[in-house]
C-alpha cells in the first residue's frame, strides 16, 4: 500500500534532522520504522548542557538556559541533560532519575522548543562515551591538572576523587565536538573547559586531517557569573546549602527573603565598583533580568538605600521565575510528552553524533569488517 503524504506543512530548516516513524502491520503499533531526513547544513551549530544533579539555580538560568532560548531561531541547537557528568559526584539513583525528568521540564518551561532544538539525555547517546574515550588519549595529564573545577570539586569531595571527575572536561569536549558545534553558550566557569576542547580538537586535527570544527564560547554580558548571595566572592552553585543560592523553583517569598538577606557593604550607594562584590552581583542579576544597563540602574536608585534596591531585585527575579514555574507545573503533569521528546531527541542526536564518531574511528585506525 502506498500513502502520498504531503510534508509541505513541516518546516524543516537547514541542518535540522527529522525523524518520521512509519507504523504498519495488523495492529497499527506493530512495526515502527524510523526514517531520518536531513537538510544540508548551513546554519551554525550550538551545543550546550547542564548537569541534572539537583534543582537548577538562578546562575544556570541567567548564565546558560536563558541564552539557549534566545539563539534557537538563528542556530541549529542541541541541548542535553549532562547526566553522565552528574555521576562524577555520588548521586542517589532515584533522585538522579527524577532530576533528569524535572530538568527536562525546566528546559521546556524556560522556552526550549523541541520543534526548533534537539533536547536529549546524554546517557541515551552512546557516542558521547565512545568519543570521550578516544579523546582521553589525546588529552594530556598536564592539561587536566590545570582544570580549576577539578581542583575545586576534589577539595569539596575529598572522599571521592574519582577518575571521572578528573577526565570530565574531556567528556565535555566529546559532547561539543560530536555535533561539530560552532558555538557553546555557557557561563564563565566553563570557559576553561572550552579552551581545553579547542586544544584537543586542534591536536586531533593536526594528527590526522580536519575532523572537528573548533568551537567558540558564547557568554552573556551580564549573568555569565552569578555569585552566591551569602558570599559574593564565590560562584552561586547548586551544592550550596543555606540562603546563598536562588533555585529556579523557589517561591516568590523565598526569592525575596534570600535577596533581602544578601550580603552587601556598608557604603550604602547602589553603584558598580571594585570591591563592592555583593552590590555588583545584585546589579548583574537585576541587569540580566530587566535588560537595564548599570548606568540606568545607578540613576534609578540614586539617593535610595539598599533596602529599596533589594526589594526591586527580589520582585524582578521572582516575577521572571513565576512565569517559568507555571509552565513547569504544566510540563511536569505530562510525563508521556516529555518522554516522547527525549526519545525523539536521542534519535536525532545519535544520528548526527554517529557520523562524527565513525569518521574518528576510521581516522584513528579502528578496523571495520563491514567496509
Ligand atoms: P553546570 O551543570 O555546572 O552548569 C550549567 C551551566 O550553567 C552555568 N552556570 C552559571 N552561570 C553563571 N553563574 C553561575 N553561578 C553559574 N553556575 C552555573 C555554567 O557555566 C553552565 O553553562 N560541564 C558542564 C555541563 C556540560 C556542558 C557540556 C556544557 C557538559 N557537557 C558541553 C557545555 C557544553 C557543567 O557542569 O555545567
Amino acid at each position: 500500500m502506498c500513502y502520498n503524504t504531503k510534508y509541505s506543512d513541516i518546516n524543516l530548516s537547514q541542518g535540522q534532522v527529522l525523524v518520521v516513524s512509519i507504523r504498519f502491520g495488523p495492529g497499527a503499533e506493530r512495526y515502527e520504522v524510523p526514517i531520518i531526513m536531513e537538510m544540508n547544513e548551513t546554519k551554525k551549530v550550538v551545543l550546550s548542557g547542564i548537569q541534572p544533579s539537583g534543582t537548577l539555580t538562578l546562575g544556570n538560568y541567567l548564565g546558560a538556559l536563558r541564552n539557549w532560548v534566545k539563539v534557537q531561531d538563528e542556530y541549529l541547537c542541541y541541548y542535553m541533560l549532562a547526566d553522565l557528568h552528574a555521576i562524577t559526584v555520588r548521586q542517589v539513583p532515584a533522585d538522579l532519575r527524577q532530576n533528569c525528568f524535572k530538568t527536562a521540564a525546566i528546559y521546556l518551561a524556560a522556552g526550549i522548543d523541541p520543534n526548533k532544538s534537539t533536547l536529549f539525555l546524554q546517557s541515551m547517546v552512546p557516542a558521547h562515551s565512545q568519543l570521550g574515550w578516544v579523546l582521553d588519549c589525546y588529552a594530556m595529564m598536564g592539561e587536566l591538572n590545570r582544570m580549576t573545577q577539578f581542583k575545586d570539586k576534589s577539595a569539596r569531595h575529598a572522599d571521592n576523587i574519582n577518575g571521572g571527575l578528573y577526565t570530565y572536561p574531556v567528556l565535555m569536549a566529546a559532547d561539543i565536538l560530536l555535533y561539530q558545534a560552532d558555538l557553546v553558550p555557557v557561563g564563565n566557569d566553563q570557559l576553561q573547559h572550552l579552551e581545553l576542547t579547542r586544544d584537543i580538537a586542534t591536536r586531533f586535527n593536526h594528527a590526522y586531517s580536519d575532523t572537528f570544527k573548533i568551537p567558540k564560547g558564547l557568554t552573556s554580558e551580564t549573568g555569565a557569573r552569578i555569585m552566591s548571595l551569602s558570599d559574593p566572592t564565590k560562584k552561586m552553585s547548586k551544592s550550596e546549602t543555606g540562603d546563598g543560592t536562588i533555585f529556579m523553583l523557589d517561591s516568590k517569598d523565598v526569592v525575596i527573603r534570600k535577596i533581602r538577606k544578601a550580603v552587601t557593604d556598608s557604603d550604602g550607594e547602589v553603584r558598580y565598583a571594585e570591591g563592592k562584590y555583593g552590590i555588583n552581583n545584585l546589579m548583574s542579576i537585576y541587569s540580566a533580568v530587566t535588560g537595564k544597563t548599570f548606568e540606568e540602574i545607578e540613576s534609578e536608585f540614586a539617593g535610595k538605600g539598599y533596602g529599596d534596591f533589594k526589594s526591586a531585585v527580589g520582585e524582578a527575579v521572582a516575577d521572571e521565575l513565576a512565569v517559568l514555574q507555571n509552565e513547569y507545573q504544566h510540563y511536569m503533569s505530562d510525563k508521556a510528552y516529555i518522554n516522547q521528546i527525549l526519545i525523539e531527541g536521542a534519535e536525532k542526536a545519535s544520528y548526527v553524533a554517529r557520523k562524527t564518531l565513525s569518521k574518528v574511528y576510521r581516522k584513528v585506525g579502528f578496523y571495520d569488517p563491514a567496509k
Side-chain angles (χ1 to χ4, degrees), residues 47-53 57-65 68 80 82 85 122 149 153 168 171-173 175-176 184-190 193-194 223-227 235-238:
L47 176 127
S48 201
I50 298 179
Q51 295 194 44
S53 50
T57 69
L58 186 66
N60 295 137
Y61 180 59
L62 297 179
L65 192 49
W68 299 1
M80 57 171 210
H85 287 263
Q122 187 187 25
Q149 272 216 346
K153 286 202 177 173
Y168 144 124
L171 180 60
M172 180 164 158
D175 302 336
I176 297 166
V184 184
V186 282
N188 279 356
D189 62 324
Q190 295 300 322
H193 294 160
L194 202 62
R225 189 161 175 80
I226 301 298
M227 310 307 278
K235 190 186 78 164
M236 182 181 283
S237 86
K238 282 184 206 119

Side-chain angles (χ1 to χ4, degrees), residues 92-103:
V92 176
D95 291 351
L96 179 60
R97 252 187 293 281
Q98 185 63 8
N99 282 332
C100 286
F101 182 73
K102 284 183 177 170
T103 307

Side-chain angles (χ1 to χ4, degrees), residues 228-250:
S228 158
L229 300 177
S230 47
D231 180 355
T233 61
K234 290 204 183 113
K235 190 186 78 164
M236 182 181 283
S237 86
K238 282 184 206 119
S239 54
E240 191 185 323
T241 49
D243 287 341
T245 297
I246 294 180
F247 294 100
M248 288 180 68
L249 301 178
D250 278 349

Side-chain angles (χ1 to χ4, degrees), residues 21 42 54-55 69 75 80 148 156 158 167-168 175 189 202 207 218-219 251 322 329 359 365:
S21 293
T42 53
T55 310
V69 176
Y75 303 116
M80 57 171 210
T148 55
R156 270 191 281 132
T167 57
Y168 144 124
D175 302 336
D189 62 324
T202 306
L218 188 67
T219 49
S251 68
Q329 293 309 339
K359 231 195 235 182

